[in-house]
Amino acid sequence: MAIRTGKAGSQASSGDLLELVRSGRATTRGALQQVTGLSRATVGQRLDRLFRAGWLREGAAGPVDSPLGGRPSVRLEFDDSHAVVLAADLDTRHARAAVLSLTGELLAEHAGPLRVEDGPDAVLGELGRWFAELLEKAGHRAAEVCGIGLAVPGPVDTDTGRVVQPPIMPGWDGYDIRARLTRAFTEHSGAGPVPVLVDNDANLMAYGEQRTAHPDCSAFVLVKVSTGIGAGVVVGGRIYRGIDGGAGDIGHIRVPEGADALCRCGSYGCLAAVASGGAVARRLVESGIPAASGSDVRDLLTSGHPGAAALAREAGRQVGDVLATVVTLLNPGVLMIAGDLAGTAFLTGVRELLYQRALPRSTAHLDVLTSRLGERAALVGAGALVVEHLYAPERIEERLLALGV
């Protein structure tokens, strides 16, 4: 591991040492000295600050490495008990919220109806209430919350936390989500302000799935097919967002089959207009089968409805045609299908067109899978995003100073 050089020329800050321990790359004092080149005294001083902050603890002693014997090395561990994270995942008609440990364990969870079209003020206010109730359920105080992560079904400028021209989030464009959610949490819990991070739901689903089940996959793509269609891309362990958060918006790629289909973005011919859960629901209604949304289609698919399965397979073929280009461009190791339509029928359609249209070289080492975390993927990703942000080496010094250590 390359260690960054600080302003004064000193290397391996307390934040760098914490990162080495958290990642498992160096978990003893001796290993930290070896990796960083720091002296024993300097390593001890920097670790002492992390112990006083409550971020590190000593675990069980490991085996003696030296053939000459000596005392066993004490293993250092990231102490995930000193704080918790709040996370929420907004869909168009419902939401899910949770309290998570710093290592991603779900401590309490709630799901319920919540319509994004009711506007950000009402929706975020309700999330603040959910968070306060969940903390009580989990047995944690509001003061233990170190940050909040929020997944939304639209493109996000992550620098500001504001959604940018979201096709399916009326009234949210440019709204200050961070400030409102912070205020709502404070109003319902009495806590002070905490950092709020906002990102696209497909991005956070991809991040959660990649970190949980595919940490060694250097190019990972997740496609969420629900009310709309979006993709999350994780490259080198980091979310790829493009220059302003617009990466992965494949639902608005034009497709020949949709020339006359009006999309919610106002354009004709978008992939989402012909192959999303909402589009399949409309086609079911046209054939006399009640279906108001992608979640209704999911229920029909779960019950084995043949008409829904046929339409889902056709939608999968249309999405697979577009994904052939995505796979050729990114050459991922994993292509994961998630969302309301992520089932056998849709996946079969995706594979049919993907393997037909993409070059064999692009798919030779590709795994096409369905979601492992299911409806919790974005929650796990949102929690991980907050932790990685707050415990990144470049932020540790500022936080330690704020704690007075």
Side-chain angles (χ1 to χ4, degrees):
M1 171 185 174
I3 301 297
R4 301 171 297 103
T5 301
K7 293 180 180 179
S10 60
Q11 295 182 328
S13 65
S14 293
D16 289 314
L17 299 191
L18 181 64
E19 175 65 17
L20 287 167
V21 173
R22 287 185 60 230
S23 67
R25 285 173 287 179
T27 57
T28 66
R29 288 171 172 81
L32 290 171
Q33 289 176 240
Q34 185 176 14
V35 171
T36 63
L38 296 177
S39 69
R40 179 178 179 180
T42 301
V43 167
Q45 291 168 356
R46 293 180 181 174
L47 288 178
D48 182 61
R49 300 180 72 198
L50 299 173
F51 280 115
R52 284 187 284 146
W55 299 347
L56 278 188
R57 65 187 173 204
E58 291 186 341
V64 177
D65 294 330
S66 172
L68 300 178
R71 292 189 300 174
S73 298
V74 175
R75 183 178 177 85
L76 302 173
E77 299 174 348
F78 178 59
D79 189 344
D80 68 340
S81 66
H82 68 272
V84 293
V85 175
L86 298 175
D89 177 21
L90 286 182
D91 210 329
T92 53
R93 298 163 63 90
H94 65 275
R96 187 175 296 269
V99 182
L100 297 98
S101 74
L102 297 181
T103 49
E105 178 186 359
L106 265 72
L107 306 176
E109 183 181 9
H110 173 74
L114 201 57
R115 298 164 59 92
V116 293
E117 64 185 33
D118 290 339
D121 187 65
V123 169
L124 298 173
E126 183 68 358
L127 280 183
R129 184 178 70 81
W130 286 11
F131 283 149
E133 292 175 354
L134 281 168
L135 280 169
E136 184 175 352
K137 179 180 177 181
H140 285 274
R141 297 174 291 110
E144 295 177 74
V145 175
C146 65
I148 299 174
L150 176 65
V152 298
V156 176
D157 180 343
T158 54
D159 288 338
T160 64
R162 300 172 189 246
V163 292
V164 182
Q165 300 177 1
I168 57 176
M169 299 179 70
W172 289 72
D173 186 22
Y175 186 86
D176 192 349
I177 294 174
R178 290 175 177 172
R180 178 64 182 109
L181 189 52
T182 297
R183 189 168 73 252
F185 177 56
T186 298
E187 289 170 353
H188 289 283
S189 69
V194 296
V196 175
L197 275 66
V198 186
D199 208 333
N200 172 261
D201 55 357
N203 283 347
L204 293 179
M205 291 173 72
Y207 196 47
E209 295 276 8
Q210 189 270 339
R211 288 175 58 88
T212 300
H214 305 277
D216 297 326
C217 181
S218 60
F220 179 98
V221 176
L222 178 142
V223 178
K224 179 187 178 185
V225 187
S226 290
T227 300
I229 300 176
V233 180
V234 179
V235 176
R238 296 180 178 273
I239 298 172
Y240 177 75
R241 301 183 177 90
I243 60 171
D244 61 3
D249 204 1
I250 65 170
H252 300 286
I253 292 175
R254 302 292 180 86
V255 293
E257 299 88 342
D260 298 325
L262 177 63
C263 183
R264 295 181 68 168
C265 73
S267 297
Y268 286 89
C270 294
L271 179 64
V274 297
S276 66
V280 172
R282 287 191 296 273
R283 293 184 65 183
L284 285 168
V285 170
E286 290 169 0
S287 65
I289 303 167
S293 66
S295 59
D296 291 336
V297 177
R298 178 189 61 205
D299 293 340
L300 289 168
L301 291 171
T302 301
S303 67
H305 192 284
L311 289 175
R313 181 168 179 170
E314 178 56 31
R317 287 171 58 85
Q318 292 164 331
V319 172
D321 198 6
V322 170
L323 290 178
T325 301
V326 172
V327 165
T328 301
L329 177 66
L330 296 178
N331 189 209
V334 173
L335 171 62
M336 182 170 284
I337 307 299
D340 291 330
L341 297 192
T344 302
F346 186 86
L347 189 64
T348 298
V350 168
R351 284 174 168 157
E352 284 176 358
L353 261 289
L354 174 63
Y355 289 111
Q356 178 183 328
R357 299 291 171 84
L359 292 172
R361 174 68 183 81
S362 301
T363 57
H365 301 99
L366 175 67
D367 290 327
V368 183
L369 312 168
T370 53
S371 171
R372 175 177 175 177
L373 296 175
E375 295 180 336
R376 293 178 172 141
L379 294 178
V380 173
L385 187 73
V386 171
V387 172
E388 294 305 316
H389 172 79
L390 292 177
Y391 294 90
E394 61 269 22
R395 292 184 183 86
I396 292 302
E397 184 63 28
E398 179 183 348
R399 295 186 64 205
L400 288 173
L401 290 173
L403 291 172
V405 297

